[in-house]
Amino acid sequence: QFQNKSSSLKEKEKVSFPLSNSATESAKKKQKKKATKRKGKGRMKKSDDSIGCKSPAKKNFSRNDFEGSNSSSEEDKATDNSYQRHIRERNLLEKQNAEKLEQQKLKQLNTQIERHASNGRDFYINEKYESSALEYEQAIKHMKEMMSKYNSDEIRSKFFTLMSNRSATFMMLKMFSFALKDCDEVLGNNSECLKALLRKSRALIMMGNIDTAVASLKMCSNKSNEVLRNLLYGDRKSREVMENFSTESSRELENVIRIRKHLHHMDTYYQEGMYEQSLNHAKLGIKLSMLNIRFNTKNVFLLLKMRKYDEAAQACLDYAVGLDLSENGLTSSIFKGKYSSKNSPPFKTATLILLNSEYFLKSLMQALRLSGKTEEAIECLGMLVERNVNWARMWHTLCKSKKALKEKADSLYKNGKYNEAAGEYTNLLQLDEEDNVGNSRLFCNRAAAYMALGKYNEALRDCSEAIKLCSGYNKAYLRRARVLKFLSKWNASSMDYETYISNYTYSYSDFPGHLSAVREELQEVYLTINNIKNGVGSKKGSEKKSNKARGKNSANKSQKGGAKEDSWHSKYEPEYRSFHNSKHRSRNRKEQSSECDYGHEKCFYDILQIESSASRRDVIVAYRRLALQFHPDKSSAPDTSEKFKQITEAYDVLKDEESRRKYDQGLIS
């Protein structure tokens, strides 16, 4: 059976049937599909030639062969549409994610801005203005970042409110130019912001721009009055706010009037020679207008003229602090160093700040040089010499030479070469006659050398000169008290001891128990005075006892000078008069009046009833008051004419500085 079946199949294969046109077309399509399948297999596997088979013969297909390919192109279009739809969906998702991220960033910025703004408000309320300014700075920085992406009206209004708040903190920190910039930006956005307008006028007043400040104040008052007229029957709170602006602007206008009055009185008193009154008006003007150049220059000039060098240096420092804060703001060296009125900046910092203002720089160097601060002066002048400032070279060499000579004189004194040390101190005194504080110390040092040599009269003269040049130099009082004790001038010595003890401040150079030792010396002087009063020992007897302890040379000199107890003291001690008049007026008036003539027949200061430290203005006022009281035409007392002559004589001597100086030195009797 199997053989029959296979033979029948072979016979069927041999039989050929005629084919129709449709059959031929379908056959062609099948052949085409087979050909494409073979090509695909050829890509995946090795070629037929490599296997050892021949490649099929190439056929040329006509256009009719591809008429049935429309279904495949439609499938391709469907796939393309699905792919494009997928891309669109993906782009939409990416866009939505980006928007979500932006919203999250915006929320984060908002939270940061609100946090910094609230911290700034809290710090401002608690008067921590530095921290408040830094917080507002961060808030404004984030707000600018937000405005670069979203610039809406709400964001702009928030931004300008932050600027207004920061200007308030700048005003409290005395950064007036930065406060002015913030106010100008706020007014550029809203010209009717009365708060910014009022703050701008205050900043201008503190910077010394009085005329522009008056214009902005008038604008503020006019706008507030106009709003008040419109709100005649309006909201009560808004009316209160406008009334507050009106009163504040009128108050600032009153301050402007005060500033102009102080300027006028300052100039008039200076022209009349009343420097103390002119200085007072300059200081009052600085309180109202801190950086006003006229007030500051006159203040420093008068302090230098009146030889108040420490105050002049401090005034230059204050001006430097205000200038640096106003010009540099949060980046200023003063703000970074956190200096204040209690903790002043170093002179080096002030020197760098004042490089562009030559007058204040020269005044600061002069104040340092003449106030005895030689080390600071050398350091600051060296900085100026490095920056090729020509006028600083001469002062720098002068200060360096003074320092070298003083070190030489001090070393000679320590080595016991007192004559040579006194000569060096004399040369130093001739080197710079303007340096009153430094020269007072040199006089005191030379007095120590004279005391070691036994020249007590010269030592007394030098101590009195030191006190005359610098009345606050306490060491000179102690040295003069000891000299007077050697010369047996007990009353004068006790008063100088008391002055030293009352003005004593601890110094690192003082040995332990220094003040107690000085008190013991004073007790010895008191004991001697009581013994003389009680008649236990005469003056000469007490002098002899003290002279035996000191030696014959000092005894002879003390006996020569002891005949008139107060003659040397009165001749070389003008400050003794002011001390007598101020502190010891209540103690033993008879003794003081007998010691008050200072070697003169009449004490002109007592005649005019003033102190020796009185100013020229005080002399004039006292003369006019006493002249009205003791003028022969006004009074019928018998000794009126004599008293009036004494008053006029005292006034003629004391009204002139040169004659008064000679009188104090004992050259005029």
Side-chain angles (χ1 to χ4, degrees):
Q1 291 175 359
F2 180 74
Q3 288 176 355
N4 294 329
K5 285 181 181 179
S6 61
S7 61
S8 62
L9 286 169
K10 286 179 182 179
E11 288 175 357
K12 285 180 182 179
E13 286 177 359
K14 291 178 182 178
V15 176
S16 61
F17 297 96
L19 299 173
S20 61
N21 293 327
S22 60
T24 56
E25 288 177 1
S26 62
K28 287 179 181 179
K29 286 180 182 179
K30 286 179 181 179
Q31 289 176 0
K32 183 180 176 182
K33 285 180 181 180
K34 287 179 181 179
T36 52
K37 282 180 182 179
R38 284 197 199 100
K39 285 181 182 179
K41 287 179 181 178
R43 287 178 196 150
M44 297 296 291
K45 297 179 181 179
K46 291 183 179 180
S47 63
D48 296 334
D49 295 332
S50 62
I51 297 169
C53 301
K54 292 182 179 179
S55 60
K58 292 183 180 180
K59 294 183 179 181
N60 294 323
F61 296 100
S62 63
R63 187 176 179 183
N64 295 324
D65 297 333
F66 297 96
E67 287 179 358
S69 63
N70 291 327
S71 60
S72 62
S73 62
E74 288 175 0
E75 290 175 0
D76 293 338
K77 285 180 182 179
T79 54
D80 291 340
N81 291 332
S82 63
Y83 178 70
Q84 289 174 1
R85 196 183 307 115
H86 174 69
I87 289 171
R88 283 196 299 272
E89 288 175 356
R90 189 180 66 185
N91 291 335
L92 185 62
L93 284 171
E94 289 178 356
K95 190 176 180 181
Q96 288 174 355
N97 291 330
E99 287 177 357
K100 285 180 182 179
L101 286 171
E102 287 294 328
Q103 286 176 0
Q104 287 177 0
K105 286 182 181 179
L106 189 64
K107 284 181 181 178
Q108 288 177 359
L109 282 173
N110 267 324
T111 53
Q112 287 177 357
I113 289 163
E114 288 174 2
R115 188 181 76 249
H116 287 302
S118 64
N119 290 339
R121 269 184 248 108
D122 294 337
F123 283 130
Y124 186 85
I125 291 165
N126 295 325
E127 296 182 358
K128 297 178 180 178
Y129 302 116
E130 296 176 0
S131 304
S132 177
L134 293 172
E135 291 291 333
Y136 279 126
E137 188 77 16
Q138 291 295 322
I140 288 168
K141 182 181 177 182
H142 292 312
M143 187 62 79
K144 285 180 180 177
E145 186 180 350
M146 187 187 289
M147 286 176 67
S148 64
K149 297 175 182 178
Y150 305 100
N151 196 1
S152 63
D153 294 335
E154 185 180 356
I155 293 171
R156 284 177 65 83
S157 64
K158 281 185 181 180
F159 174 73
F160 287 114
T161 52
L162 286 172
M163 294 284 282
S164 179
N165 293 340
R166 189 176 68 172
S167 68
T169 57
F170 281 153
M171 286 295 294
M172 300 307 294
L173 289 169
K174 299 177 182 178
M175 300 176 184
F176 304 118
S177 60
F178 284 84
L180 188 64
K181 287 177 184 176
D182 285 352
C183 291
D184 285 333
E185 285 196 29
V186 174
L187 290 169
N189 181 54
N190 183 12
S191 60
E192 295 183 355
C193 183
L194 297 178
K195 190 183 286 187
L197 198 60
L198 185 62
R199 201 166 284 147
K200 177 185 176 181
S201 62
R202 285 174 179 164
L204 288 168
I205 288 169
M206 295 304 288
M207 291 172 71
N209 299 328
I210 306 298
D211 296 331
T212 51
V214 168
S216 61
L217 282 171
K218 286 180 179 179
M219 191 186 300
C220 182
S221 62
N222 292 333
K223 286 184 178 181
S224 60
N225 292 328
E226 185 179 351
V227 173
L228 277 172
R229 283 194 295 272
N230 295 329
L231 292 172
L232 190 60
Y233 302 104
D235 189 11
R236 183 178 176 182
K237 288 185 179 179
S238 57
R239 277 188 61 81
E240 288 178 356
V241 170
M242 289 300 117
E243 286 173 359
N244 189 19
F245 279 122
S246 180
T247 53
E248 288 290 329
S249 58
S250 61
R251 192 180 299 161
E252 292 298 327
L253 284 168
E254 289 175 2
N255 287 336
V256 169
I257 293 166
R258 287 196 197 98
I259 288 167
R260 286 174 173 169
K261 282 184 179 179
H262 286 311
L263 284 169
H264 174 71
H265 290 309
M266 181 184 72
D267 293 335
T268 52
Y269 279 126
Y270 175 72
Q271 290 171 2
E272 292 176 4
M274 300 177 184
Y275 300 135
E276 199 72 44
Q277 287 78 4
S278 179
L279 182 64
N280 289 333
H281 282 287
K283 289 180 178 178
L284 290 170
I286 288 169
K287 288 181 181 178
L288 294 172
S289 181
M290 183 179 171
L291 296 178
N292 193 310
I293 193 71
R294 287 181 64 187
F295 284 131
N296 282 286
T297 50
K298 189 67 74 176
N299 182 34
V300 173
F301 174 76
L302 288 170
L303 288 170
L304 289 172
K305 191 174 182 66
M306 296 167 72
R307 296 180 178 181
K308 297 179 179 180
Y309 301 118
D310 290 326
E311 292 184 29
Q314 188 60 44
C316 292
L317 279 179
D318 294 339
Y319 182 74
V321 167
L323 197 67
D324 192 29
L325 285 172
S326 181
E327 289 182 355
N328 299 319
L330 298 174
T331 60
S332 63
S333 56
I334 302 299
F335 184 79
K336 288 178 180 178
K338 294 183 180 179
Y339 303 110
S340 61
S341 58
K342 294 180 182 178
N343 180 24
S344 298
F347 293 108
K348 286 175 69 176
T349 307
T351 303
L352 294 173
I353 294 166
L354 296 171
L355 279 173
N356 294 325
S357 53
E358 187 176 350
Y359 176 77
F360 289 99
L361 188 60
K362 277 187 176 181
S363 301
L364 178 61
M365 295 302 109
Q366 190 176 2
L368 290 176
R369 186 174 64 87
L370 300 179
S371 62
K373 297 182 175 72
T374 310
E375 294 289 338
E376 291 88 346
I378 290 170
E379 193 174 7
C380 296
L381 288 167
M383 289 170 58
L384 295 175
V385 169
E386 289 175 0
R387 286 167 173 78
N388 297 322
V389 180
N390 295 323
W391 56 266
R393 294 182 187 278
M394 184 180 69
W395 286 357
H396 187 243
T397 53
L398 179 64
C399 290
K400 284 179 75 175
S401 60
K402 279 175 65 178
K403 183 184 175 184
L405 286 172
K406 190 176 182 301
E407 288 175 354
K408 182 181 177 182
D410 292 341
S411 65
L412 288 170
Y413 179 82
K414 288 175 183 177
N415 294 327
K417 299 177 181 178
Y418 302 117
N419 271 323
E420 296 176 7
E424 290 294 332
Y425 285 129
T426 305
N427 295 331
L428 270 168
L429 286 167
Q430 295 173 358
L431 192 63
D432 189 5
E433 295 180 357
E434 293 180 353
D435 188 3
N436 290 336
V437 176
N439 289 342
S440 69
R441 292 173 183 172
L442 292 174
F443 272 118
C444 194
N445 291 348
R446 192 172 71 173
Y450 283 147
M451 284 178 71
L453 292 168
K455 299 178 180 179
Y456 298 108
N457 294 329
E458 288 85 350
L460 178 62
R461 190 184 299 112
D462 279 356
C463 289
S464 299
E465 283 292 330
I467 292 168
K468 184 180 177 182
L469 289 174
C470 183
S471 59
Y473 188 34
N474 205 28
K475 192 175 181 180
Y477 285 101
L478 178 62
R479 191 154 289 165
R480 190 175 64 181
R482 286 169 175 167
V483 172
L484 290 167
K485 185 181 174 184
F486 274 105
L487 294 172
S488 301
K489 303 183 189 310
W490 309 107
N491 288 327
S493 177
S494 67
M495 295 173 76
D496 280 342
Y497 273 121
E498 289 171 2
T499 307
Y500 177 78
I501 291 167
S502 62
N503 296 330
Y504 176 76
T505 54
Y506 176 75
S507 176
Y508 68 92
S509 60
D510 295 338
F511 61 87
H514 168 72
L515 192 60
S516 60
V518 173
R519 286 194 177 115
E520 288 177 3
E521 293 178 17
L522 179 60
Q523 291 299 323
E524 290 177 5
V525 173
Y526 281 154
L527 185 63
T528 308
I529 292 170
N530 289 328
N531 290 336
I532 292 168
K533 283 182 180 179
N534 296 328
V536 175
S538 63
K539 279 187 184 181
K540 290 182 180 179
S542 62
E543 285 172 9
K544 284 178 182 178
K545 287 179 183 178
S546 61
N547 290 336
K548 283 178 184 179
R550 293 185 211 114
K552 291 182 179 180
N553 294 329
S554 61
N556 293 330
K557 289 179 182 179
S558 64
Q559 284 172 1
K560 286 179 184 178
K564 294 180 181 178
E565 183 176 337
D566 294 317
S567 60
W568 281 102
H569 184 270
S570 59
K571 186 174 181 181
Y572 299 110
E573 172 35 20
E575 275 70 23
Y576 175 78
R577 185 185 297 108
S578 65
F579 182 77
H580 151 72
N581 286 335
S582 61
K583 287 197 171 183
H584 296 274
R585 195 179 293 276
S586 62
R587 187 175 65 85
N588 203 352
R589 180 65 185 170
K590 290 182 180 179
E591 287 184 10
Q592 289 179 8
S593 62
S594 65
E595 292 177 359
C596 184
D597 55 15
Y598 301 92
H600 304 296
E601 294 178 2
K602 314 173 197 67
C603 181
F604 289 156
Y605 292 98
D606 282 351
I607 290 169
L608 293 178
Q609 297 176 10
I610 57 173
E611 296 181 359
S612 65
S613 61
S615 62
R616 186 173 179 272
R617 176 69 177 170
D618 297 334
V619 173
I620 294 168
V621 170
Y623 169 71
R624 288 175 180 173
R625 177 173 53 79
L626 294 171
L628 288 171
Q629 185 179 354
F630 294 103
H631 197 276
D633 296 337
K634 301 284 184 181
S635 178
S636 58
D639 57 345
T640 305
S641 59
E642 186 64 28
K643 283 185 178 179
F644 186 71
K645 285 180 182 178
Q646 290 178 0
I647 290 164
T648 52
E649 185 182 0
Y651 174 68
D652 290 337
V653 172
L654 297 180
K655 71 177 181 180
D656 184 48
E657 291 184 2
E658 186 65 26
S659 61
R660 182 176 175 178
R661 184 177 63 79
K662 290 179 181 179
Y663 173 77
D664 290 339
Q665 291 176 355
L667 301 175
I668 297 175
S669 59

